[in-house]
Amino acid sequence: GGPSREGRVIAVFSPKGGVGTTTVAVNLAAALCKEHQLRVALVDGSLPFGDIAVFLDLVPHRSIMDLVVSPEQIDDEFVNGALTSHQSSGLKVLLAPPRPEMAEMVTAEQIRRTIGLLKHSYDYTIVDTWSCLDERVLTVLELADHIALCFTLDLPAIKSSRIFLEVTELLRFPADKIIPVLVKSTGTQGIEVRDVEATLGRSIPAQISHDARLASRCINEGSPVMLAHPGAAMAGDFRRLTAHIAGDPDNLVLEPSTRSRKVGRFGLFTKS
């Protein structure tokens, strides 16, 4: 191969738990790997209770705990030795610690070093995170080329997402770094997408129809929707999200909405 260009890092984050970040991370990684024939590393950055091993039916012989050494010791060989191969997709996976109390031992500097090395070896590094803004999650968000900000159509999730967007402005993240991803469960009623766009001051380029029955079946079988049910509507949504990210990452400028913010219900919804 010629000179390797740096790969891209996508962090999958939600300020509110339980909205489906792991489902999004796993299927996004599987689609990039399987359908776009890219080299993809999937990192379970949800350190205390990461579930990627369950979602992919992997036996966790190795994990990020293998990288709990002084950061300068972490090199390519070391990182590759900590990865687990997922046979049916071709993904290389860095699993979360096997026990929650071990998560404390993983430092932001080890994460920074690890992601830096993965960027050189893989076209994409997808990092699942957890709903917390500690130093380690902030490190992942800072290193990411894009943050897939996942939320559902309910007021707490929308409110938390709006506050998170305000935090990213304080952190001086460029607006186009964040890709709002609406995880739409079947039967969600009462809140219109355009109201959410007005509240967030962003257009929502990606919507995932969340078929709860199919999603839980795939989790229990340990095979992502993209691989087990590629014809499902949900898989089509992941395909669009993946094309959006992989197609032309440099044209991902999502203009913040210019609509004036008048306070509506619970101070959340604007009436434009």
Side-chain angles (χ1 to χ4, degrees):
S4 70
R5 69 184 175 83
E6 280 220 325
R8 301 180 80 80
V9 177
I10 311 289
V12 183
F13 176 78
S14 169
K16 183 176 179 295
V19 305
T21 57
T22 304
T23 296
V24 171
V26 164
N27 283 284
L28 175 60
L32 284 165
C33 194
K34 197 85 174 154
E35 307 211 343
H36 292 259
Q37 268 73 59
L38 294 166
R39 291 165 307 161
V40 182
L42 174 60
V43 177
D44 196 340
S46 180
L47 298 173
F49 292 100
D51 278 329
I52 284 176
V54 174
F55 276 62
L56 294 176
D57 193 23
L58 293 170
V59 181
H61 294 305
R62 296 184 285 276
S63 78
I64 198 166
M65 293 308 294
D66 294 315
L67 303 176
V68 176
V69 292
S70 66
E72 54 276 11
Q73 274 181 274
I74 301 174
D75 58 15
D76 279 328
E77 202 178 326
F78 222 86
V79 172
N80 283 324
L83 300 175
T84 303
S85 293
H86 183 247
Q87 297 306 332
S88 58
S89 64
L91 287 170
K92 296 289 187 191
V93 189
L94 183 58
L95 295 172
R99 299 198 43 79
E101 67 273 14
M102 294 176 167
E104 289 305 310
M105 298 162 68
V106 181
T107 68
E109 209 36 62
Q110 288 157 349
I111 288 173
R112 181 183 299 280
R113 178 95 182 165
T114 301
I115 291 175
L117 288 164
L118 289 170
K119 265 183 93 147
H120 284 289
S121 304
Y122 293 89
D123 298 313
Y124 279 88
T125 300
I126 310 296
V127 190
D128 189 17
T129 59
W130 84 103
S131 302
C132 147
L133 286 178
D134 75 358
E135 194 192 357
R136 297 165 301 175
V137 176
L138 282 169
T139 297
V140 172
L141 298 179
E142 175 203 321
L143 291 172
D145 294 284
H146 290 293
I147 298 166
L149 171 63
C150 301
F151 62 96
T152 47
L153 278 183
D154 61 86
L155 288 175
I158 296 161
K159 182 200 74 149
S160 303
S161 297
R162 191 179 77 175
I163 293 168
F164 174 70
L165 286 170
E166 288 164 6
V167 171
T168 65
E169 284 172 20
L170 293 174
L171 293 170
R172 303 203 186 290
F173 288 176
D176 63 352
K177 177 169 172 147
I178 293 133
I179 304 171
V181 177
L182 171 58
V183 181
K184 224 174 164 181
S185 54
T186 38
T188 310
Q189 274 128 11
I191 297 177
E192 295 292 330
V193 172
R194 63 173 181 270
D195 291 335
V196 181
E197 291 184 324
T199 298
L200 298 181
R202 299 289 176 106
S203 62
I204 299 168
Q207 295 187 31
I208 307 294
S209 49
H210 187 264
D211 177 337
R213 190 175 293 159
L214 177 63
S216 70
R217 188 162 94 218
C218 288
I219 293 166
N220 293 338
E221 290 169 359
S223 182
V225 176
M226 284 308 308
L227 303 179
H229 301 276
M234 201 170 161
D237 293 342
F238 282 122
R239 222 169 261 122
R240 278 186 287 281
L241 171 61
T242 307
H244 189 82
I245 286 172
D248 189 356
D250 298 320
N251 281 345
L252 264 181
V253 181
L254 308 173
E255 289 301 324
S257 158
T258 51
R259 280 176 271 193
S260 65
R261 296 190 173 197
K262 298 192 194 106
V263 174
R265 186 172 172 230
F266 299 119
L268 272 178
F269 292 121
T270 56
K271 293 280 178 282
S272 45

